[in-house]
Amino acid sequence: IALYGMDIKPCSSISSGLAGNQWDVLDFGDIEKDLAYNLRDRHIKAILLCIDAVNNVKRLRLTNCFAFTGAGLEPLRDSRVIEQIDLGIVSNRTREWGVHPTPQIVYEQVVPILDSIIEGEGCALKHLQFPKLWRNDDDGFLARYNEMLRRRGRICCFKCKKSSYPKMVEVVVRRAVLYRIN
């Protein structure tokens, strides 16, 4: 795979710094910020295809992928293993600073892929972080996502593995009552 004139080794030898040895965590915040900033959908799609992400990636974080529109997530369609998707683009360490270019991610390109993940039998998705600019958009997908969590029943925390039921909390997104994992 070539990214901006840089040759990347064949799929089997891509650095484990990006995704770990098992390809279960793919965190673009772990690569150089300038490289992540310039990744386009075609690059992310190629990486996801190369590592068979639909069957391997459990946690995906698109930190610093500001040029990404969402179409590159297509290889994750119908994934039954993905547990966490962070589309927030901005790292947790800098979210409050607010000094970032506007992410190019497009709701209409991402939601059909997310719907294919949550609608299937055996969905593993437990946590979904939306970009800040979407948090006041149409709540149709969020309602479907929260209904899926409600039907699932008990869920486990990523960090402590403690299980509990999702608790209903009010979130201001066009009068929607949403469920969030506490």
Side-chain angles (χ1 to χ4, degrees):
I1 301 171
L3 298 175
Y4 296 93
M6 297 172 48
D7 287 328
I8 295 182
K9 296 175 184 175
C11 295
S12 61
S13 61
I14 291 178
S15 168
S16 63
L18 181 62
N21 293 330
Q22 303 295 320
W23 300 112
D24 58 342
V25 177
L26 183 58
D27 186 348
F28 288 94
D30 291 341
I31 63 173
E32 292 179 29
K33 188 174 182 177
D34 289 340
L35 177 59
Y37 182 85
N38 288 304
L39 289 176
R40 304 283 191 264
D41 287 274
R42 68 182 182 272
H43 303 125
I44 292 173
K45 181 177 182 178
I47 292 167
L48 294 175
L49 287 170
C50 188
I51 64 172
D52 189 25
V54 71
N55 295 309
N56 292 312
V57 174
K58 292 182 180 180
R59 297 182 188 163
L60 174 65
R61 296 182 192 105
L62 293 161
T63 308
N64 299 322
C65 296
F66 287 96
F68 173 73
T69 67
L73 292 178
E74 187 62 37
L76 287 175
R77 186 175 289 277
D78 299 319
S79 174
R80 296 295 165 256
V81 298
I82 194 142
E83 298 175 358
Q84 178 184 17
I85 302 173
D86 185 344
L87 301 171
I89 310 297
V90 180
S91 77
N92 287 334
R93 295 182 295 268
T94 61
R95 282 194 175 140
E96 62 275 357
W97 297 349
V99 184
H100 304 285
T102 302
Q104 302 302 307
I105 193 162
V106 178
Y107 182 88
E108 291 79 11
Q109 290 186 4
V110 175
V111 167
I113 298 164
L114 295 176
D115 270 329
S116 77
I117 293 169
I118 68 167
E119 290 173 353
E121 187 68 32
C123 171
L125 192 61
K126 298 174 186 175
H127 177 85
L128 178 61
Q129 177 72 40
F130 263 15
K132 187 174 183 177
L133 69 134
W134 287 1
R135 294 188 191 149
N136 290 320
D137 278 354
D138 175 26
D139 57 42
F141 172 76
L142 291 175
R144 292 187 299 278
Y145 172 68
N146 287 316
E147 178 61 22
M148 179 272 305
L149 287 177
R150 188 191 62 74
R151 283 191 320 263
R152 178 184 291 161
R154 294 186 76 81
I155 53 175
C156 292
C157 173
F158 283 124
K159 294 181 181 179
C160 69
K161 302 297 181 195
K162 185 177 177 182
S163 72
S164 67
Y165 290 98
K167 295 181 181 174
M168 190 169 79
V169 294
E170 287 192 28
V171 178
V172 179
V173 180
R174 291 195 187 174
R175 303 177 311 273
V177 176
L178 306 175
Y179 297 92
R180 182 172 54 195
I181 302 169
N182 289 335

